[in-house]
Amino acid sequence: SIGGLLTLMVAEELQKNERIKGSVLFNCAGGLVSFRTEELPVFLRPVQWFFNNVVLGDAFGPIFFRNFKTRANVTKVLQKVYIKQDEVTEELVDM
């Protein structure tokens, strides 16, 4: 989300001045998956329903996320976020 991006930008500046050691964002992409149905084009509404009720639903959601949050995926995501690749350590991936 824009708020998450702004938070990371401010945190980066504060880290340069050694005013903070790091930052943690919780549910920072929430706005990207919570569209209001009335804002979507009619042809995308079934896709939204399927995603919310099947992919993220109680039956398949846990399976989907368990398969997605592998060490390899976590490492790839962290490497995209961290400017300094050497800061993506085993300890960080394990958090």
Side-chain angles (χ1 to χ4, degrees), residues 1-30:
S1 71
I2 297 299
L5 177 60
L6 290 173
T7 301
L8 287 174
M9 292 170 67
V10 169
E12 180 183 29
E13 289 301 314
L14 291 173
Q15 281 179 315
K16 289 178 184 176
N17 300 327
E18 297 181 357
R19 297 185 69 188
I20 63 171
K21 290 184 178 185
S23 59
V24 176
L25 302 176
F26 293 98
N27 195 22
C28 56

Side-chain angles (χ1 to χ4, degrees), residues 65-76:
F65 284 107
R66 183 174 52 246
N67 290 329
F68 181 76
K69 65 174 189 175
T70 64
R71 283 186 69 75
N73 282 343
V74 170
T75 302
K76 286 179 191 176

Side-chain angles (χ1 to χ4, degrees), residues 10-73:
V10 169
E12 180 183 29
E13 289 301 314
L14 291 173
Q15 281 179 315
K16 289 178 184 176
N17 300 327
E18 297 181 357
R19 297 185 69 188
I20 63 171
K21 290 184 178 185
S23 59
V24 176
L25 302 176
F26 293 98
N27 195 22
C28 56
L32 299 176
V33 294
S34 59
F35 298 105
R36 287 183 281 236
T37 302
E38 63 273 5
E39 294 177 348
L40 287 175
V42 174
F43 68 93
L44 287 178
R45 291 178 187 178
V47 175
Q48 180 197 28
W49 181 92
F50 179 80
F51 192 78
N52 287 338
N53 292 288
V54 177
V55 176
L56 297 178
D58 292 337
F60 297 105
I63 297 166
F64 172 76
F65 284 107
R66 183 174 52 246
N67 290 329
F68 181 76
K69 65 174 189 175
T70 64
R71 283 186 69 75
N73 282 343

